[in-house]
Amino acid sequence: MPILLTFPPPSSFRLGLRAVAGKSGKLLASSAARQLSTRRFVSGSCAPYSGKGATSPMSLLRERHSRLTASPIFARTLSRFRAITQYTSLPDSYEDIQGLPFRKEDLNQREVNQIFGAHLEAERANELLRILHGRRVAGTLNDPNLQVNTAHFSDIDKRKALQYLRENIPVNEVINAGLRAEDELKFLEGQEQEHGDENAEQQFEETGRQNPPSDAVVERVEVPTGRLPKPPKSDSPYGESPFDRIRARNIAKRKAEEQRLEEERKQQEEEEALGNIGTLQTEQQTPKALSPRMQKWAARATSPLTEPPKMKAWERLLPSLAMTALVLAGCAAYAIMYVPPRRAWRLWPDIPPAAATCLALIGVNLTVWLFWKTGPLWAILNRYFIVVSATPKPLQLVGAMFSHHNFSHAALNMVVLWFFGTRLHDEIGRGNFLALYFASGTLGFMTSLANLVLFRGLEFTTLGASGAIYGIVAAFFWLYRYDEFKLFGYPPDPMSGPQGLAFIGLILGLHILPLSRMKVHNIDIASHFGGMLAGVVGIDLVKKHMDAKARARAEKLKTMHALGGGLNT
């Protein structure tokens, strides 16, 4: 007798699903029917025992929740986006104020109007829905500490949002809240155990006389509002012991201390770099507390800009470069056209011209230093007497060469100016000397500004007369580059002293040495190099111009003598 396979008639539920889903829903109908038609009954005790001991009801609830949600719901997997609905799938970065996405795309304004009405904007409505969906998953829907994040929404809007979420995104809020409560309990127990371990560690480390225990002050432990931290895993088969926790805490303390020291080192380097890198200004002094009046002037002198203006490098450098070319041309014209005044026209006729010129420059530098101590002048000084790489102004190149913040910086520059300036002035005259001074200072700051804009950064500023001073010193030694110098009679005769070229090489070496070290410094080396270059090139031009004038004067005298001899005969 042949055996015929008999199939049971399809159920009404399967026929309904097949009619709605069509051919593509056959698999859906079959799977859903199998799930709904098969019922499994599991019998067992309320708290079964395992190898690890009694299993808590919340653990059973967690296992049941993961088992029920392990198989995907096919009606939801037709879309690529799947909203997070399980507490165990909550991301570590979850925060209540950010919430969780409840759908692939946010609701548009038309959909928001259908749910809440026309009074709520789409952006705020989606924000509320994300926060509430996150609380449903995190189990914190009724947490009073989190209501501040939704306090700006009305209760009616909150109820409508919850109703929409419960109708469209099914979440087992009871199970999620229970799992959250269990994790909070474990978190609080862990915190109490850590405090107990710390007290035990302190008692273990004490070697002196034991004091009687005092009343302990119970501190309230704040539970995180986002994802609760996961307990650290131990590699030991016996679990994590109190000594493991003490060792881990000590390692964390050591890492935190190392990180703090590294941050302090970086902050110190940034403070040194952000200070004014005035030339030869090697120490960064801690600013003193300002009086209320000085604070008012400081606020008026401070720029309202929070960041450097968006400009290209050539836009920052071109105006200053044009100013540099104009100053250099003016210095050349002044050196050529200068005529020494008569003795009666001089302001200090009894003082030699070299001393009078250097004293005038020293007086201007010290006057500007005193201006920096006067609060009402800070706004003008910040605008024209300091080179600011973020907002450079052409006149800053000239004003900054007379500007010093520290008296030690100004005094050192003025001593060098007096020592070398008077000697060079006697050799080349006032016109050539002032032309070299202004050309060296301006070109030095132009070099520094280009270095800051192109390489170092827009947060730096610079000021000081060092660029001009180094130009004068380099011009002096270049003028006598083959002559021998003796300092206070040393080296004694018959030994010969170093030449001027040796001093120039020494100055260059002292400036190149800091560049080779990987250490933050506040010396404007670029300004020094620019000033020295201007001094060397300038003194060569001055020497050629002076030699040409001397030859012309000799030819003129020779011609006059020749004419005078002819007339006498």
Side-chain angles (χ1 to χ4, degrees):
M1 180 177 182
I3 299 176
L4 299 178
L5 297 176
T6 59
F7 298 91
S11 62
S12 300
F13 178 74
R14 183 180 298 180
L15 292 176
L17 286 179
R18 185 178 300 174
V20 173
K23 295 181 179 181
S24 62
K26 291 181 180 180
L27 179 60
L28 172 66
S30 301
S31 177
R34 283 196 300 270
Q35 293 180 4
L36 294 177
S37 61
T38 304
R39 302 182 61 186
R40 298 179 183 178
F41 296 91
V42 181
S43 61
S45 60
C46 294
Y49 280 78
S50 63
K52 299 180 180 179
T55 305
S56 64
M58 291 306 302
S59 300
L60 290 176
L61 185 61
R62 189 188 299 271
E63 294 178 0
R64 179 175 178 272
H65 180 247
S66 59
R67 189 165 58 246
L68 289 176
T69 56
S71 58
I73 302 175
F74 290 92
R76 295 295 179 187
T77 57
L78 295 178
S79 174
R80 294 183 179 178
F81 175 80
R82 179 185 298 176
I84 298 175
T85 58
Q86 306 174 26
Y87 176 80
T88 55
S89 302
L90 198 65
D92 296 338
S93 60
Y94 165 74
E95 291 292 339
D96 180 78
I97 194 171
Q98 299 175 356
L100 291 175
F102 59 95
R103 55 181 285 176
K104 184 177 182 180
E105 297 178 355
D106 291 344
L107 299 177
N108 55 35
Q109 190 62 49
R110 181 179 59 82
E111 295 172 331
V112 170
N113 294 342
Q114 294 177 357
I115 300 172
F116 299 95
H119 68 281
L120 194 62
E121 298 178 356
E123 182 179 358
R124 299 182 68 246
N126 287 292
E127 177 187 357
L128 176 61
L129 290 170
R130 283 192 294 269
I131 294 177
L132 293 181
H133 177 63
R135 291 179 183 176
R136 295 174 68 210
V137 177
T140 56
L141 196 59
N142 297 323
D143 193 340
N145 296 327
L146 303 178
Q147 302 306 318
V148 64
N149 295 332
T150 55
H152 53 288
F153 296 100
S154 64
D155 295 338
I156 299 176
D157 291 339
K158 296 178 186 177
R159 288 195 294 269
K160 291 181 179 179
L162 274 177
Q163 181 180 358
Y164 169 79
L165 292 173
R166 287 167 177 168
E167 291 177 355
N168 294 274
I169 299 96
V171 174
N172 198 326
E173 300 173 5
V174 177
I175 292 181
N176 290 341
L179 297 177
R180 169 78 183 197
E182 186 182 28
D183 285 349
E184 287 186 359
L185 181 60
K186 291 181 179 179
F187 175 79
L188 294 176
E189 291 176 351
Q191 294 293 323
E192 293 177 358
Q193 190 172 6
E194 286 186 2
H195 290 307
D197 294 340
E198 290 180 358
N199 296 333
E201 181 183 0
Q202 292 177 358
Q203 293 177 3
F204 179 77
E205 292 177 353
E206 288 178 355
T207 57
R209 181 176 56 87
Q210 300 292 332
N211 296 326
S214 58
D215 296 335
V217 179
V218 179
E219 297 181 356
R220 183 173 179 270
V221 180
E222 296 291 340
V223 180
T225 59
R227 185 71 162 90
L228 291 175
K230 297 180 180 179
K233 296 182 180 179
S234 175
D235 297 334
S236 174
Y238 304 102
E240 186 181 18
S241 66
F243 290 102
D244 292 335
R245 288 192 292 270
I246 293 173
R247 181 169 57 253
R249 186 164 55 252
N250 291 336
I251 293 174
K253 289 180 180 179
R254 186 178 70 250
K255 291 182 178 179
E257 181 67 16
E258 292 176 354
Q259 183 179 3
R260 183 185 65 82
L261 294 176
E262 181 67 17
E263 291 178 353
E264 289 181 356
R265 184 185 65 81
K266 291 182 179 179
Q267 183 179 3
Q268 183 178 3
E269 291 181 355
E270 291 178 356
E271 290 177 354
E272 292 178 355
L274 290 176
N276 294 319
I277 57 169
T279 52
L280 291 180
Q281 189 174 344
T282 56
E283 295 183 358
Q284 191 71 25
Q285 298 180 354
T286 304
K288 299 180 180 179
L290 298 177
S291 62
R293 179 177 297 180
M294 288 298 184
Q295 292 178 3
K296 180 184 68 173
W297 294 117
R300 292 184 180 182
T302 303
S303 172
L305 297 176
T306 57
E307 60 180 4
K310 302 297 182 181
M311 299 171 61
K312 296 181 180 179
W314 66 268
E315 293 177 341
R316 298 183 192 275
L317 297 177
L318 187 59
S320 299
L321 189 61
M323 182 66 182
T324 303
L326 183 62
V327 171
L328 294 180
C331 290
Y334 179 77
I336 295 173
M337 301 175 60
Y338 176 78
V339 177
R342 298 178 182 177
R343 179 181 176 85
W345 294 356
R346 292 180 55 198
L347 184 61
W348 300 309
D350 298 331
I351 300 178
T357 303
C358 292
L359 287 176
L361 293 175
I362 292 173
V364 173
N365 279 272
L366 294 180
T367 301
V368 176
W369 171 75
L370 290 175
F371 285 169
W372 280 108
K373 308 300 179 183
T374 308
L377 300 178
W378 286 349
I380 298 177
L381 296 174
N382 283 339
R383 191 175 296 114
Y384 299 112
F385 285 83
I386 183 172
V387 177
V388 183
S389 59
T391 56
K393 294 180 175 60
L395 291 179
Q396 292 175 355
L397 302 179
V398 180
M401 74 175 69
F402 298 100
S403 183
H404 300 82
H405 275 171
N406 300 330
F407 179 77
S408 59
H409 183 203
L412 180 60
N413 282 341
M414 296 304 103
V415 169
V416 177
L417 174 62
W418 175 262
F419 186 82
F420 290 95
T422 53
R423 288 164 173 79
L424 184 63
H425 190 291
D426 289 335
E427 296 294 332
I428 62 177
R430 176 176 292 173
N432 294 324
F433 178 81
L434 291 177
L436 274 179
Y437 184 90
F438 281 91
S440 300
T442 304
L443 186 60
F445 279 126
M446 186 64 229
T447 307
S448 175
L449 179 61
N451 177 52
L452 296 179
V453 172
L454 298 177
F455 302 106
R456 296 196 64 177
L458 300 179
E459 67 272 14
F460 293 96
T461 60
T462 180
L463 78 170
S466 300
I469 302 301
Y470 271 96
I472 296 298
V473 173
F476 177 80
F477 283 118
W478 187 257
L479 183 63
Y480 301 104
R481 56 187 177 274
Y482 299 122
D483 294 349
E484 297 178 357
F485 291 88
K486 292 189 177 183
L487 301 177
F488 305 105
Y490 291 96
D493 295 332
M495 299 178 61
S496 59
Q499 297 180 346
L501 288 175
F503 286 97
I504 294 179
L506 177 63
I507 295 173
L508 290 175
L510 294 177
H511 283 77
I512 295 175
L513 184 61
L515 296 178
S516 61
R517 298 178 179 176
M518 301 301 295
K519 186 178 179 180
V520 178
H521 59 83
N522 59 347
I523 302 176
D524 194 356
I525 297 179
S527 175
H528 296 184
F529 282 158
M532 293 174 65
L533 178 63
V536 171
V537 175
I539 196 62
D540 265 347
L541 297 177
V542 169
K543 190 68 169 60
K544 292 179 180 179
H545 177 65
M546 293 177 62
D547 292 342
K549 290 179 64 175
R551 286 194 300 268
R553 189 180 303 108
E555 291 292 337
K556 185 177 180 181
L557 292 176
K558 184 178 179 181
T559 304
M560 292 178 60
H561 283 299
L563 293 176
L567 291 176
N568 292 331
T569 58

